[in-house]
Amino acid sequence: MIQTSRRLQELPTQFFANLVRQVNQKIAEGKDVINLGQGNPDQPTPPGIIQTLQQAAEKPANHKYSQFRGNHFFKQAAADFYLEHYGVTLDPETEIAVMGGSKIGLVELPLALLNPEDSILLPDPGYPDYLSGVVLAQVQQEFLPLLPENRYLPDYSKLSQEALEKAKLLFLNYPNNPTGAQATADFFDETVAFAKNHEIAVVHDFAYGALGTEQEAPISFLQSAGAKEVGVELYTLSKTYNMAGWRVAFAAGNAEIIEAINVIQDHLFVGLFPALQEAGAYALTNNENVEALVALYNRRRNVFVKAAAAIGWQAYPSTGAFYTWMPVPKGYTSVSFANFLLEEVAVAVAPGSGFGDGGEGYVRIGLLVEEARLEEAIKRIATLQLIF
């Protein structure tokens, strides 16, 4: 008998995989499911990026083993991107690490930076896969409640002295998944001071970094004075350029943390296919279709929020990412409400409790279908005569 390790057995159930299975089951039954539970961009990758990949894939030099630690041209493009968009200067060789998707970095960093007696501070609600790194590194976690009355920003003053002494790593994510909340410059400045005072490294998951409003783009953690002294930011091309399946990302910031990422990846992954890096460099340099994409998601947000308000369903006032954060009606938990919608009207939503205890009482709506489908989803939900 082959037995898996205790570490593997302790991994949490993959939340999104289970959600996909439920939706696919309904589709297999012949239901016209409106899937608002996903976080998978529905728009195509811009043509310039695709053409760059096609041309790069034809180069024999790119068919060899990839370089350890990525190609300089991609890291230079990432550094130039940060200088252009955020005014942040980065050394491409010591302050940029190339990754096959930002999820890899999120799971690697507890392994690279923590010992079993250490603890990581995690947002609640937050991206479920943060817990994968906790289990694989066999470290402890302390949850930071994110509350609507505090605009879903953590209150560091609520942490106990014991928690502060054990914590060596802090994860943040703005614009936030699942709430769509945005961080402020003052909050990031406070985070830098907090991290320095307690000797805690910071990892800012900037997955939705381009997705704010047309008037106000999200800010980078690295824009705060001293941020590079305490932490890194993970930037993925998945959402900004509709490249979710391409798995191209990078970490930027503190040189010691970047080196730790590089060392662990030397042993686990080696490097990213150079043709993907060429396409990624093109994307970062040209920023193709990004303004139109931001406008699209905001139109969809406005359409959904307005239609929901007409039936008495009031959204949290999100301005980031491509989600709306909706309270469940009276008499339901987030899971029972999500199941009810799928069963009764074939509308799939993500239950808030899947993002942690702090998500209970809400569901996450992904704005990743056409506007007409968003309106149709609300029409179906209206037939249920729920009390919100």
Side-chain angles (χ1 to χ4, degrees):
M1 292 283 296
I2 302 297
Q3 294 188 343
T4 57
S5 68
R6 288 192 299 273
R7 183 170 291 146
L8 201 65
Q9 293 167 18
E10 290 168 1
L11 282 169
T13 301
Q14 226 300 332
F15 171 66
F16 296 108
N18 186 54
L19 192 61
V20 168
R21 280 194 295 271
Q22 290 179 300
V23 170
N24 288 342
Q25 177 61 38
K26 282 296 168 189
I27 294 172
E29 294 171 5
K31 302 292 185 182
D32 175 27
V33 177
I34 302 177
N35 188 359
L36 308 182
Q38 62 185 339
N40 199 354
D42 67 308
Q43 296 299 295
T45 303
I49 300 172
I50 296 172
Q51 291 163 11
T52 301
L53 176 69
Q54 291 170 334
Q55 294 165 6
E58 293 177 352
K59 298 177 182 178
N62 286 338
H63 304 165
K64 299 177 183 294
Y65 284 125
S66 303
Q67 288 186 31
F68 284 86
R69 305 188 174 200
N71 292 74
H72 179 78
F73 65 80
F74 178 79
K75 291 184 282 188
Q76 185 66 61
D80 292 345
F81 175 84
Y82 259 76
L83 184 60
E84 177 184 355
H85 291 275
Y86 306 114
V88 174
T89 300
L90 295 161
D91 183 313
E93 289 305 318
T94 63
E95 296 179 330
I96 299 285
V98 181
M99 300 181 299
S102 60
K103 177 180 173 178
I104 285 177
L106 294 167
V107 175
E108 286 174 340
L109 278 161
L111 286 162
L113 298 178
L114 302 183
N115 295 310
E117 65 272 16
D118 297 331
S119 177
I120 180 172
L121 301 174
L122 297 177
D124 180 19
Y127 181 49
D129 286 354
Y130 294 154
L131 291 171
S132 301
V134 171
V135 173
L136 290 173
Q138 298 285 277
V139 297
Q140 308 301 309
Q141 81 270 347
E142 179 84 18
F143 290 107
L144 280 169
L146 306 185
L147 304 173
E149 55 266 31
N150 200 38
R151 296 175 296 167
Y152 286 106
L153 299 172
D155 183 349
Y156 299 129
S157 69
K158 301 295 186 183
L159 287 165
S160 68
Q161 187 60 37
E162 180 184 2
L164 290 171
E165 290 173 358
K166 291 181 64 177
K168 302 300 179 187
L169 189 59
L170 163 66
F171 275 12
L172 296 173
N173 166 223
Y174 295 98
N176 183 254
N177 177 15
T179 68
Q182 295 227 47
T184 64
D186 286 345
F187 169 71
F188 280 150
D189 289 346
E190 177 192 354
T191 298
V192 171
F194 167 78
K196 287 184 177 179
N197 189 38
H198 297 285
E199 298 184 345
I200 297 172
V202 178
V203 176
H204 182 227
D205 177 5
F206 205 26
Y208 304 90
L211 305 184
T213 67
E214 295 92 327
Q215 295 75 34
E216 187 176 1
I219 61 174
S220 164
F221 168 69
L222 297 182
Q223 289 174 284
S224 287
K228 282 202 298 182
E229 298 172 30
V230 298
V232 294
E233 190 159 74
L234 305 190
Y235 199 99
T236 174
L237 279 60
S238 295
K239 280 75 176 181
T240 303
Y241 304 109
N242 298 316
M243 295 172 66
W246 298 51
R247 310 305 301 171
V248 181
F250 61 92
N254 182 271
E256 292 174 291
I257 298 176
I258 294 299
E259 176 63 14
I261 294 172
N262 281 329
V263 168
I264 197 167
Q265 292 197 150
D266 285 347
H267 295 273
L268 291 175
F269 301 112
V270 184
L272 191 66
F273 180 36
L276 284 173
Q277 293 185 62
E278 288 195 36
Y282 174 93
L284 292 167
T285 303
N286 291 274
N287 227 37
E288 191 177 357
N289 292 353
V290 174
E291 288 185 5
L293 186 67
V294 171
L296 172 67
Y297 288 140
N298 279 295
R299 284 197 306 272
R300 290 178 177 181
R301 178 180 285 108
N302 292 336
V303 163
F304 185 86
V305 169
K306 182 179 178 181
I311 65 169
W313 198 15
Q314 301 296 331
Y316 175 78
S318 305
T319 59
F322 43 47
Y323 305 115
T324 62
W325 188 234
M326 309 295 296
V328 304
K330 296 178 181 178
Y332 291 87
T333 65
S334 60
V335 170
S336 68
F337 182 54
N339 290 340
F340 182 66
L341 291 184
L342 188 59
E343 289 295 327
E344 296 298 322
V345 293
V347 173
V349 300
S353 60
F355 301 90
D357 291 345
E360 182 52 67
Y362 291 85
V363 292
R364 190 194 73 177
I365 304 296
L367 303 169
L368 300 164
V369 298
E370 298 297 328
E371 292 167 30
R373 294 288 275 175
L374 292 169
E375 292 178 313
E376 171 63 22
I378 292 296
K379 288 179 182 177
R380 293 185 189 183
I381 293 170
T383 65
L384 301 173
Q385 299 182 328
L386 298 162
I387 300 173
F388 292 102

